[in-house]
């Protein structure tokens, strides 16, 4: 049984259909990519899966259990979380306070302590700046904090929305290495990215959206070889 | 010099009450974008609770304080549940009109069920004594006000900085939907914001009624307008701003009262509003407000 299975998902904003009849699945241990040009409906898909968008139709199952319509504060307790596009750290809370909030879904205090230690080892810059307001961090540091905050809930499935967007090259490397490490440690990843080549080089499988509809899907290697990807990004070019 | 210290004490105790009310308004506004004009009626309810326990049971002072504070808490929680939860996420205007409606309905209810006339609240005579502190004669009521205000503000600050729920409240004020992604329950933070605003209004009610000795249906109006002015002056939605705004307004009013010539006293409120407007012209975002965002 798939860890996450989405069927016939449709997302609307008033009269605008952002996603139409999308089906996708993620197996435990995979890195699955969702690709597409700006406005293709990638963020809408992730937000709807998390329960952040009330106006969506279709089925979303986690471990076979229907969670469509479940509010996000309950979904995170089931072991799935989202690092939203644009980072959205709480700018006027300290780094440490941001991390404390990330651990709210965990009931087990000693697990939260262990995760916190692990996160400070993994992200030394966050340990260094733990007392600093998150809004004063650089973009790359804020992205690390946003991911670290998601990891504090100990997710089995992590949804990442454009984690490398707008980052300096060294941070982009750091983020892609981190994603591989996380998978190594057993976290399943559903990754939305604009950096197509890089993403397909670490992903197992991918789905390509064009204006809210599934255009292509398959193993990453096949997508890399296909010309459909280029057509999907027509007008924007392939990174 | 003594006179100045005495006026300062008056300013701190009056400003402190404004600060408690303004902080309650700002707390609710920062979480759900509602300016709660019925906040004054929470205070009035606290005053009626004080009247009830003193007249009916001759309750001792601590019970009177507890009655006021608990009534504020319960009234605020009920108000959220009954009147404001159904309009949560609605437009600012819808929520504002709802709060006006709640305010008017409660005032009419007080007039019809209790009395349109003031009800006297008799507190122990020690409350109106004057005692020497560091060589200056200071009223027990003023002293009580200063202590209660500082303790309340201190506890709220500890709550917001040290507890996970308090940190969640600050997070929800900054970005409500991302706060939900952290597993923070929307209902819990909104209810907590109302609970705190109700507790603070209960404390303010006690201090206000202790000062004037009676409670009437329209009692909440003046202080709530002052608190609203204070929170705008401090930067609407900024919690420290609301507190600072409250103290500044109290200071301005007391100093005008003390030093305006006799003939000008009727224009005291106009003069204090002129000062507030001057402050807002100088800093349109309020004393501690941020130009581009809310908290
Ligand atoms: N809050 C919103 N209100 C109205 N339309 C929206 C909103 N969010 C996204 N859209 C529209 O939905 C479509 C998909 O957007 P989005 O999911 O953000 O795409 P992507 O993440 O792939 O760039 C776009 O046409 C966008 O303009
Ligand atoms: Mg997007």
């Amino acid at each position: 049984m798939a860890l996450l299975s989405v069927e016939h998902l449709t997302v609307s904003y008033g009269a605008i259909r952002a996603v139409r009849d999308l089906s996708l699945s993620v197996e435990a241990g995979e890195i699955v990519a969702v690709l597409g040009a700006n406005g293709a409906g990638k963020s809408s898909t992730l937000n709807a899966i998390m329960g952040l968008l009330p106006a969506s139709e279709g089925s979303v199952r986690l471990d076979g259990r229907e969670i469509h319509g479940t509010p996000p504060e309950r979904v995170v307790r089931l072991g799935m979380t989202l690092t939203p596009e644009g980072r959205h750290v709480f700018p006027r809370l300290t780094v440490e306070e941001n991390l404390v909030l990330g651990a709210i879904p965990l009931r087990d205090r000693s697990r939260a302590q262990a995760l916190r230690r692990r996160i400070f080892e993994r992200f030394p810059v966050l340990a260094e700046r733990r007392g600093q307001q998150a809004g004063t961090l650089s973009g790359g540091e804020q992205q690390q904090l946003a991911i670290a905050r998601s990891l504090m809930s100990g997710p089995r499935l992590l949804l990442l929305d454009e984690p490398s967007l707008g980052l300096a090259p060294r941070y982009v490397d750091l983020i892609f290495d981190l994603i591989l490490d996380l998978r190594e440690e057993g976290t399943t990843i559903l990754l939305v990215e604009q950096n197509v080549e890089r993403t397909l080089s670490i992903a197992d499988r991918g789905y390509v959206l064009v204006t809210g509809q599934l255009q292509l899907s398959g193993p990453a290697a096949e997508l890399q070889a296909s010309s459909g990807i280029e057509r999907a990004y027509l007008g924007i070019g392939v990174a | 010099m003594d006179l100045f210290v005495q006026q300062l004490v008056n300013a701190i105790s009056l400003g402190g009450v404004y600060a408690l009310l303004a902080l309650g308004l700002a707390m609710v506004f920062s979480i759900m974008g509602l300016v709660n004009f019925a906040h004054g009626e929470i205070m009035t309810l606290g005053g009626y609770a004080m009247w009830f326990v003193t007249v009916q049971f001759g309750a001792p002072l601590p019970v009177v304080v507890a009655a006021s504070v608990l009534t504020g808490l319960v009234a605020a929680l009920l108000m959220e549940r009954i009147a404001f939860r159904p309009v949560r996420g609605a437009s600012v205007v819808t929520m504002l009109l709802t709060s006006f409606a709640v305010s008017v309905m409660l005032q009419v209810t007080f007039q019809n069920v209790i009395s349109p006339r003031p009800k006297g609240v008799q507190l122990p005579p020690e409350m109106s004594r004057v005692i020497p502190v560091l060589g200056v004669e200071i009223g027990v009521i003023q002293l009580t006000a200063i202590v209660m205000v500082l303790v309340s503000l201190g506890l709220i600050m500890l709550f917001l900085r040290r507890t996970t729920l308090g940190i969640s409240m600050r997070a929800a004020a900054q970005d409500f939907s991302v706060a939900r992604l952290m597993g923070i329950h929307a209902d819990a933070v909104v209810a907590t914001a109302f609970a705190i605003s109700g507790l603070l209004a209960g404390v303010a009610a006690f201090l206000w009624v202790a000062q004037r000795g009676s409670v009437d249906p329209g009692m909440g109006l003046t202080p709530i307008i002052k608190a609203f002015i204070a929170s705008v002056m401090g930067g609407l939605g900024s919690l420290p701003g609301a507190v600072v705004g409250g103290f500044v307004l109290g200071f301005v009013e007391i100093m005008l009262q003390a030093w305006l010539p006799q003939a000008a006293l009727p224009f005291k409120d106009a003069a204090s509003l002129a000062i507030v407007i001057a402050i807002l012209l100088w800093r349109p975002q309020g004393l501690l407000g941020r130009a581009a965002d809310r908290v």
Side-chain angles (χ1 to χ4, degrees):
Chain A
M1 182 180 53
L3 178 53
L4 176 74
S5 141
V6 175
E7 276 160 28
H8 309 299
L9 179 72
T10 294
V11 179
S12 320
Y13 300 99
I16 303 170
R17 282 273 164 80
V19 179
R20 266 170 230 246
D21 197 28
L22 173 64
S23 297
L24 61 82
S25 69
V26 180
E27 302 289 333
E30 279 190 309
I31 296 178
V32 174
V34 175
L35 302 169
N38 244 330
K42 307 179 298 295
S43 297
S44 302
T45 301
L46 293 195
N47 292 340
I49 291 173
M50 269 317 284
L52 282 165
L53 301 178
S56 62
E57 295 156 41
S59 154
V60 179
R61 268 194 277 269
L62 189 64
D63 300 313
R65 174 179 164 184
E66 182 60 61
I67 58 162
H68 183 245
T70 308
E73 56 265 40
R74 298 251 299 281
V75 173
V76 289
R77 289 181 168 75
L78 301 174
M80 173 166 77
T81 193
L82 162 71
T83 310
E85 180 179 336
R87 310 186 264 277
H88 289 279
V89 296
F90 298 109
R92 288 178 300 287
L93 299 187
T94 63
V95 167
E96 179 100 55
E97 288 172 333
N98 269 276
L99 294 174
V100 166
L101 296 182
I104 286 179
L106 286 181
R107 287 213 194 87
D108 182 349
R109 285 295 110 198
S110 64
R111 171 122 191 267
Q113 278 305 316
L115 274 170
R116 183 174 166 283
R117 264 196 307 279
R118 180 79 191 84
I119 274 167
F120 279 147
E121 279 166 26
R122 195 197 284 282
F123 303 99
V125 66
L126 298 183
E128 234 168 79
R129 312 201 162 196
R130 64 179 77 181
Q132 209 166 309
Q133 288 210 336
T136 65
L137 303 183
S138 75
E141 291 163 351
Q142 287 191 19
Q143 185 63 62
Q144 293 178 60
L145 176 57
I147 296 176
R149 186 178 63 177
S150 295
L151 294 176
M152 284 296 289
S153 68
R156 289 174 296 143
L157 174 56
L158 176 60
L159 316 183
L160 289 170
D161 196 346
E162 305 216 20
S164 78
L165 186 71
L167 298 190
R170 72 188 175 100
Y171 284 122
V172 175
D173 292 345
L174 190 148
I175 299 291
F176 278 95
D177 289 347
L178 171 67
I179 293 170
L180 282 173
D181 281 354
L182 288 174
R183 190 258 293 272
E184 209 57 32
E185 292 164 24
T187 310
T188 306
I189 310 258
L190 181 57
L191 174 62
V192 160
E193 260 295 342
Q194 298 261 5
N195 194 335
V196 176
E197 213 166 300
R198 230 39 227 255
T199 301
L200 288 178
S201 75
I202 65 164
D204 299 303
R205 292 186 301 114
Y207 294 85
V208 181
L209 299 183
V210 175
T211 56
Q213 277 176 308
L214 188 62
Q215 178 86 357
L216 268 180
S217 66
E222 277 177 29
L223 290 179
Q224 254 169 325
S226 117
S227 62
I229 278 267
E230 281 178 50
R231 274 188 268 117
Y233 279 86
L234 206 68
I236 292 184
V238 180
Chain B
M1 185 60 206
D2 283 2
L3 186 65
F4 178 76
V5 174
Q6 248 151 20
Q7 299 297 5
L8 198 60
V9 168
N10 290 339
I12 296 172
S13 59
L14 178 67
V17 174
Y18 293 160
L20 296 182
L21 291 169
L23 180 57
L25 281 180
M27 187 80 100
V28 168
F29 180 79
S30 67
I31 297 285
M32 66 178 284
L34 160 75
V35 177
N36 184 11
F37 271 98
H39 197 60
E41 278 59 52
I42 296 177
M43 199 182 156
T44 310
L45 272 166
Y48 279 122
M50 293 169 65
W51 164 71
F52 185 75
V53 297
T54 46
V55 167
Q56 293 290 314
F57 311 114
L61 203 53
V63 176
V64 179
V65 176
S68 176
V69 171
L70 290 179
T71 302
L73 171 70
V74 172
L77 285 173
L78 286 176
M79 209 179 259
E80 189 274 320
R81 190 69 193 79
I82 296 167
F84 295 124
R85 195 169 297 184
V87 294
R88 191 188 299 167
S91 73
V92 174
V93 176
T94 305
M95 291 197 284
L96 194 63
L97 288 179
T98 305
S99 82
F100 273 126
V102 172
S103 167
V104 171
M105 266 161 37
L106 285 174
Q107 287 190 38
V108 171
T109 307
F110 300 150
Q111 284 167 10
N112 290 299
V113 174
I114 303 173
S115 163
R117 306 185 54 78
K119 292 286 183 190
V121 178
Q122 201 78 53
L123 291 182
E126 304 88 72
M127 282 296 286
S128 29
R129 284 228 324 268
V130 166
I131 53 171
V133 177
L134 304 170
V136 186
E137 302 275 297
I138 291 178
V140 172
I141 288 180
Q142 276 76 28
L143 217 54
T144 312
I146 291 173
V147 171
M148 285 178 80
V149 165
L150 293 183
V151 168
S152 305
L153 294 179
L155 288 176
I156 299 285
M157 211 179 76
L158 276 180
F159 168 75
L160 289 174
R161 304 243 153 237
R162 292 293 154 80
T163 69
T164 304
L165 183 57
I167 299 170
S168 305
M169 305 279 303
R170 287 158 59 214
Q174 292 174 30
D175 193 333
F176 203 93
S177 63
V178 178
R180 297 181 68 189
L181 268 183
M182 304 295 109
I184 296 168
H185 286 276
D187 287 349
V189 283
V190 172
T192 306
F194 272 88
I196 291 173
S197 80
L199 286 171
L200 294 173
V203 175
F206 170 76
L207 299 172
W208 197 256
V209 171
Q211 181 83 41
R212 64 210 289 272
S214 71
V215 48
D216 62 77
M219 180 185 87
L221 183 63
T222 305
I224 210 57
I225 288 176
K226 300 291 173 67
F228 180 66
I229 292 169
S231 64
V232 170
M233 178 165 55
L236 192 59
S238 156
L239 305 184
V243 173
V244 170
F247 280 112
V248 170
L249 186 64
F251 187 82
V252 166
E253 286 191 354
I254 294 288
M255 294 305 153
L256 288 172
Q257 169 83 34
W259 284 301
L260 273 186
Q262 193 69 34
L265 274 186
F267 304 105
K268 172 175 68 103
D269 280 348
S272 82
L273 274 181
I275 292 174
V276 170
I277 289 169
I279 289 175
L280 286 175
L281 285 175
W282 163 57
R283 275 186 74 84
Q285 73 275 38
L287 292 168
L288 300 187
R290 276 159 231 265
D293 62 14
R294 286 199 329 204
V295 182

